Amino acid sequence: MTLQITSAFDSGNIIVESINGDSASLRIAKDHQSDFYQWFHFRVTCEPGTTLKLAITDLADSAYPGGWQNYDAAVTEDRMEWLRAPSSWDKDAGTLTIQWECESGSAWFAYFAPYSYERHQNLVADAASCEGVTYRQLGTTGDGRPVDCLEMGEGEKQVWLYARQHPGESMAEWWMEGALAKLTDPADPHARLLRQKCRIHVVPNMNPDGSVRGHLRTNGKGVNLNREWHEPSEERSPEILCVRNAMDESGVDFAMDVHGDEAIAAVFLAGFEGIENWTDELGDKFYRYQDLLSQRTPDFQKELGYPKSKPGTANLTISTNQIAQRFGAVSMTLEMPFKDNQFLPDKQRGWSPERCIRLADDCLAVLAEMIDEI
Ligand code: ZN
């Protein structure tokens, strides 16, 4: 039986160059009308017990070549538990080679454990059915999908949590699953406090078109949504236009934008240094959030992260900066790794959906702890 390889499903992405015995040579398709590529997701079927050798080639020009160093691909055979398949990076050739002994005869490989559109719909339906939760469709994407928002809480402070502007960063929606589970739990004390003091707006997937199409970084029109916040348009970025309009209606006191980072093997936050409206008082609230989160969970750290922008040089096309500047909000970007937390590694699973869910719990507990300061 020869290998069969397909990506003809939700968020699938692979091009098969050749198959030779137990080995295959593969490539990743670019995002539609864009040069970004890094997300892959495909199924292999084979004789049970085959040791697969899958070479993903042509990666020197991928979006983040540094993402392949010390990276192991995500794999599942039972479609429940995602493990890591030992992978080796040949930088000179630009090739990632994944090795996996496929016991059952079917295995799914992905850049990170996928968060399917079916699961997204279940997430929205489950949350919307909880007491005190209101569902709102904020707008419609270019491909005709709803931009879903869940709202809850009776307080004055406006909290916005939104994720997956970059659709290949599926860890962001696993985080959202943890966040919504906590926020809708009537027995959870942090959630009770937050719902008492805040109105919470949750957009679990900002970019459903890119997610379904198997994109890394853009929507169905090939637009990087996190470079549109200064001037979103119906033509290019209806997802951002409708969310920013809803934010203009409600105002924003606290915002978290949830992402994944290809290269850095750690969880970190990025703030809004460099905005014109920067004040130390506002900035200190962000730093205090960061301090409290690093004290609360060993899965979060402050040493590794992005360089801070110099005064007056913040990029206002990026949501975190735009929201801090526009609303005077405590605004931040949460980054989780595709690789692992290098300070607390898990060889078998790497950074995993389960760890995203736990992290969301800690992030909201810290928000509850300092909500009176925001
Ligand atoms: Zn991102």
Side-chain angles (χ1 to χ4, degrees):
M1 178 179 164
T2 57
L3 304 187
Q4 305 281 344
I5 301 176
T6 179
S7 63
F9 45 74
D10 178 9
S11 79
N13 184 329
I14 208 70
I15 297 165
V16 180
E17 292 285 348
S18 62
I19 294 174
N20 189 352
D22 301 340
S23 302
S25 178
L26 310 167
R27 276 194 305 123
I28 299 173
K30 291 177 176 178
D31 291 6
H32 179 62
Q33 293 180 351
S34 158
D35 284 329
F36 292 119
Y37 66 98
Q38 188 114 356
W39 171 262
F40 61 88
H41 182 195
F42 57 91
R43 187 186 83 168
V44 181
T45 50
C46 59
E47 198 70 47
T50 301
T51 299
L52 300 167
K53 273 182 87 171
L54 308 167
I56 305 182
T57 65
D58 190 31
L59 295 177
D61 294 326
S62 61
Y64 300 94
W68 307 111
Q69 184 81 44
N70 301 321
Y71 165 77
D72 288 324
V75 61
T76 185
E77 294 195 21
D78 65 8
R79 297 189 54 73
M80 298 290 286
E81 187 179 31
W82 284 85
L83 303 170
R84 296 293 180 134
S87 309
S88 57
W89 170 234
D90 181 337
K91 192 179 173 201
D92 296 329
T95 299
L96 183 83
T97 303
I98 305 167
Q99 282 221 37
W100 182 251
E101 188 183 335
C102 185
E103 286 176 21
S104 68
S106 305
W108 284 256
F109 296 86
Y111 190 31
F112 192 85
Y115 200 97
S116 72
Y117 194 63
E118 192 67 17
R119 193 174 184 110
H120 165 82
Q121 300 214 72
N122 291 340
L123 177 69
V124 171
D126 286 352
S129 70
C130 293
E131 203 180 316
V133 176
T134 306
Y135 170 82
R136 270 176 86 192
Q137 179 172 341
L138 298 182
T140 307
T141 68
D143 290 348
R145 294 191 179 87
V147 177
D148 296 316
C149 182
L150 298 146
E151 301 186 347
M152 65 210 78
E154 294 78 47
E156 295 291 313
K157 294 184 186 191
Q158 301 295 320
V159 170
W160 279 84
L161 310 172
Y162 56 106
R164 229 177 158 188
Q165 294 195 70
H166 297 142
E169 295 162 11
S170 52
M171 60 287 280
E173 200 164 1
W174 288 108
W175 186 98
M176 277 296 182
E177 188 171 306
L180 282 167
K182 184 175 180 77
L183 287 169
T184 57
D185 180 352
D188 187 287
H190 307 118
R192 295 186 70 85
L193 183 74
L194 288 171
R195 292 197 309 264
Q196 187 186 79
K197 303 213 167 194
C198 310
R199 184 71 176 164
I200 308 163
H201 314 257
V202 183
V203 183
N205 187 341
M206 295 284 295
N207 192 345
D209 293 354
S211 304
V212 171
R213 285 169 178 254
H215 284 191
L216 175 73
R217 213 162 158 74
T218 71
N219 70 1
K221 301 161 191 268
V223 174
N224 179 352
L225 294 179
N226 203 23
R227 297 295 182 275
E228 291 284 306
W229 284 75
H230 60 312
E231 212 172 45
S233 68
E234 194 58 50
E235 297 70 45
R236 288 172 53 81
S237 47
E239 301 90 342
I240 304 307
L241 184 63
C242 71
V243 171
R244 207 190 68 172
N245 285 344
M247 288 177 171
D248 282 346
E249 270 172 41
S250 69
V252 184
D253 296 301
F254 177 94
M256 185 180 278
D257 180 20
V258 189
H259 286 252
D261 185 89
E262 288 79 357
I264 298 175
V267 180
F268 59 97
L269 284 167
F272 47 90
E273 293 88 356
I275 63 166
E276 273 174 35
N277 291 353
W278 172 272
T279 63
D280 288 342
E281 192 194 348
L282 186 62
D284 284 347
K285 292 178 185 175
F286 165 64
Y287 296 132
R288 179 155 156 74
Y289 184 93
Q290 206 177 22
D291 286 341
L292 289 173
L293 190 58
S294 68
Q295 286 161 24
R296 187 170 179 96
T297 169
D299 262 341
F300 180 79
Q301 57 81 54
K302 301 188 295 179
E303 284 75 46
L304 300 181
Y306 299 143
K308 294 172 182 163
S309 297
K310 302 262 182 314
T313 67
N315 182 348
L316 294 180
T317 72
I318 294 173
S319 64
T320 287
N321 292 332
Q322 179 65 229
I323 290 168
Q325 172 74 17
R326 195 179 187 90
F327 302 104
V330 182
S331 179
M332 59 192 74
T333 310
L334 176 68
E335 297 280 355
M336 291 174 277
F338 279 89
K339 295 174 178 175
D340 200 345
N341 173 1
Q342 67 182 59
F343 304 106
L344 212 55
D346 177 346
K347 188 75 194 148
Q348 210 187 2
R349 290 182 181 77
W351 187 253
S352 64
E354 294 77 15
R355 295 173 88 179
C356 300
I357 288 167
R358 289 290 183 100
L359 180 66
D361 194 288
D362 287 323
C363 288
L364 291 170
V366 169
L367 179 58
E369 189 175 342
M370 63 178 287
I371 194 64
D372 286 336
E373 302 166 42
I374 285 168

